[in-house]
Amino acid sequence: MRNDPLLGALRPCLQRRPPLVCFGLCLLSLAAAFTGFAVYIQSHEIRDADVTQDWNLLLVSLSHLSFCTMNGTLGLTTPVPSPGTTSALPGDLLTLSVWVGLTFSLPGGVRPNATHLALTATGHQLGLGGPDAKQPIHMVAITPWPPDPTSQGSCLSLAGPRSLLPQTRTPPHCTVGDLAGPSQEEPGSCYQPHYQPNPNLTTMLTLEDRHLCSQRLLLAGLSTLCLCALLLCTAGLCQPAPRDSRGRL
């Protein structure tokens, strides 16, 4: 093995060229990272990065806004288009009631009877995009839901353009009947909700997509290892063998 001309030429090459050694170690680290990511993706649930709008993102945006009482009565109405925008066709409007983990810190603590709170916001305010992003969405939160002091959630009713609402996994539906009713709070009282993202509402990569990503990462790691081996072989072949003090090979 000591008489191998390739190894004999490679050793002084590595000793005399530290940048080449650093580059080779970087390639090895990159190959290890590709392999590690491939194993992780294959064995863990991964969020789908192509989905930019889901219910978790919508509800997190709502947690930065405030729901208020309005003149003692609340109810869902047909959205009115904002100035400078075109109105959505009646068939494009959607009314939906879902049970979500929005909670409110009401004065006096949780009440046995539900409190109605309303909010109107545009798609832009909720982090939603698309041609109807300037259209308003009317929302009524009935909290707590179900009406019980131990409940930890709200029934959220939304009315707005269908294209604005997320097309991903929907929270459980809730039925509230007539939303109009007397408010238990003073008119104009506003409260900011709290929300903890629900993992069940996050869109994950399918098993087929994860398998494909894992295969491509393994292929990238193998290619990086081959490149590192090719670099070492080229360095050993191109570097002249060392000479002794008498000038002999």
Side-chain angles (χ1 to χ4, degrees), residues 25-219:
L25 291 177
C26 289
L27 288 179
L28 289 176
S29 300
L30 186 59
F34 282 141
T35 304
F37 280 131
V39 174
Y40 181 86
I41 289 177
Q42 189 66 27
S43 57
H44 292 76
E45 292 284 344
I46 303 295
R47 181 180 178 274
D48 191 347
D50 292 332
V51 177
T52 58
Q53 297 179 178
D54 61 19
W55 282 94
N56 266 334
L57 297 177
L58 172 62
L59 295 172
V60 168
S61 299
L62 286 179
S63 67
H64 299 296
L65 304 176
S66 296
F67 286 73
C68 304
T69 58
M70 297 174 57
N71 300 325
T73 59
L74 298 170
L76 289 179
T77 59
T78 302
V80 178
S82 303
T85 63
T86 58
S87 176
L89 297 177
D92 294 333
L93 298 178
L94 177 66
T95 300
L96 182 66
S97 296
V98 291
W99 184 90
V100 294
L102 289 177
T103 57
F104 295 83
S105 299
L106 300 176
V110 180
R111 291 135 186 236
N113 297 324
T115 299
H116 293 199
L117 301 170
L119 169 67
T120 298
T122 63
H124 278 315
Q125 291 176 293
L126 299 176
L128 303 176
D132 295 325
K134 294 183 179 180
Q135 295 288 341
I137 301 177
H138 295 306
M139 289 162 281
V140 174
I142 303 178
T143 185
W145 188 264
D148 186 276
T150 61
S151 298
Q152 296 293 327
S154 304
C155 184
L156 181 65
S157 296
L158 308 94
R162 185 184 302 270
S163 61
L164 277 182
L165 299 180
Q167 304 301 313
T168 57
R169 184 181 302 175
T170 306
H173 291 269
C174 54
T175 304
V176 296
D178 186 7
L179 293 179
S183 174
Q184 299 183 11
E185 303 296 330
E186 292 294 330
S189 300
C190 297
Y191 306 95
Q192 187 171 347
H194 308 280
Y195 179 71
Q196 186 69 27
N198 185 355
N200 294 328
L201 299 180
T202 302
T203 304
M204 299 295 185
L205 289 175
T206 63
L207 184 60
E208 292 77 11
D209 290 337
R210 286 163 47 200
H211 184 65
L212 179 61
C213 292
S214 179
Q215 281 186 330
R216 291 182 176 179
L217 285 171
L218 287 175
L219 181 60

